[in-house]
Amino acid sequence: MSREVGALDAIFEVLSAAEADRVKALYAPLADAVRELIDATIRTEADDDVIAEARSAVEAVTASLRQRTRPVGVSYRVDGRALPLGNAAVGVCNPIAPPIVVHHEGGGRCWSEFVLGSAYEGPPSLVHGGVSALVLDHMLGEAASEGLAKPRFTGTITVKYLRGTPLGPLRCDAWIDRKEGVKAFARGTISDAAGVTVEADGVFIEPSWARESR
């Protein structure tokens, strides 16, 4: 495992493919377990003594995990590509991420099918609008950057809520609408079984440092 400083002054740990698989195999199941804990915490109506015991157990586990932690701002690269383990939308090691698994079809198109549960609720039984915006911002960014292969970051994004998005299984589609110089214009939707619930369009811009490195 080596480290390098990128153009955004982040610290990148460069992992081999085998090391990346080891890290995901070790930490992703922990994140899955914490996701289940989050859902249980939100929905529990257990007795007082059960809650007190659970709180003590969680505090003890938290203390044990904090014995050794990586610095904030550390990211990963494998074979020259980003591996966003802690990303709020797709980080498999981040228990607040759904997480979203992105499938790329080429030509600047991608999609994902995922489930949003109790942790993402806004109005009762519906997804929080900010979470829908988070999903669309990431998915449009995935499309605009052609699978995180090209550095293009959100300039603006406009989200239109057509109706409430129910908690449960959902799908997001995103694609590049057009390109103009250093800008990529992307569009996307979130859908449930009955059709589109939210749509968005955004402008994604290639940063100056990427233009200078050509």
Side-chain angles (χ1 to χ4, degrees):
M1 180 186 303
S2 62
R3 292 194 175 194
E4 63 182 26
V5 178
L8 292 180
D9 295 327
I11 298 174
F12 294 98
E13 290 194 0
V14 180
L15 307 180
S16 66
E19 178 66 8
D21 288 343
R22 187 197 71 80
V23 169
K24 288 187 288 187
L26 179 63
Y27 295 113
L30 173 62
D32 288 339
V34 176
R35 287 188 189 97
E36 290 295 323
L37 175 62
I38 291 170
D39 184 77
T41 300
I42 293 169
R43 300 173 60 188
T44 188
E45 292 185 343
D47 294 338
D48 292 4
D49 58 338
V50 174
I51 297 299
E53 182 180 357
R55 176 183 171 185
S56 295
V58 170
E59 289 172 346
V61 170
T62 300
S64 70
L65 293 175
R66 287 196 183 280
Q67 290 179 15
R68 181 182 175 189
T69 60
R70 68 178 61 89
V72 173
V74 171
S75 297
Y76 302 90
R77 289 192 183 279
V78 180
D79 296 330
R81 296 177 63 86
L83 180 65
L85 296 178
N87 183 277
V90 298
V92 296
C93 295
N94 183 349
I96 67 169
I100 296 167
V101 178
V102 184
H103 303 274
H104 289 273
E105 296 182 341
R109 298 189 68 92
C110 61
W111 62 273
S112 181
E113 293 181 344
F114 50 93
V115 176
L116 295 181
S118 300
Y120 307 99
E121 186 176 58
S125 78
L126 298 177
V127 176
H128 193 291
V131 174
S132 295
L134 167 70
V135 171
L136 283 162
D137 182 38
H138 186 87
M139 289 293 290
L140 267 63
E142 286 265 0
S145 65
E146 300 176 46
L148 304 181
K150 299 182 179 180
R152 293 179 181 137
F153 300 104
T154 310
T156 61
I157 185 168
T158 301
V159 180
K160 183 176 181 181
Y161 300 90
L162 306 181
R163 59 184 172 87
T165 301
L167 295 173
L170 299 166
R171 178 182 172 106
C172 186
D173 293 272
W175 60 94
I176 293 178
D177 188 53
R178 68 186 192 280
K179 300 176 187 176
E180 294 180 5
V182 298
K183 297 179 180 179
F185 296 78
R187 302 184 67 186
T189 60
I190 294 176
S191 305
D192 65 1
V196 175
T197 63
V198 190
E199 59 187 25
D201 58 82
V203 181
F204 294 79
I205 303 170
E206 183 179 347
S208 58
W209 56 261
R211 303 170 215 166
E212 294 166 358
S213 64
R214 290 175 183 172

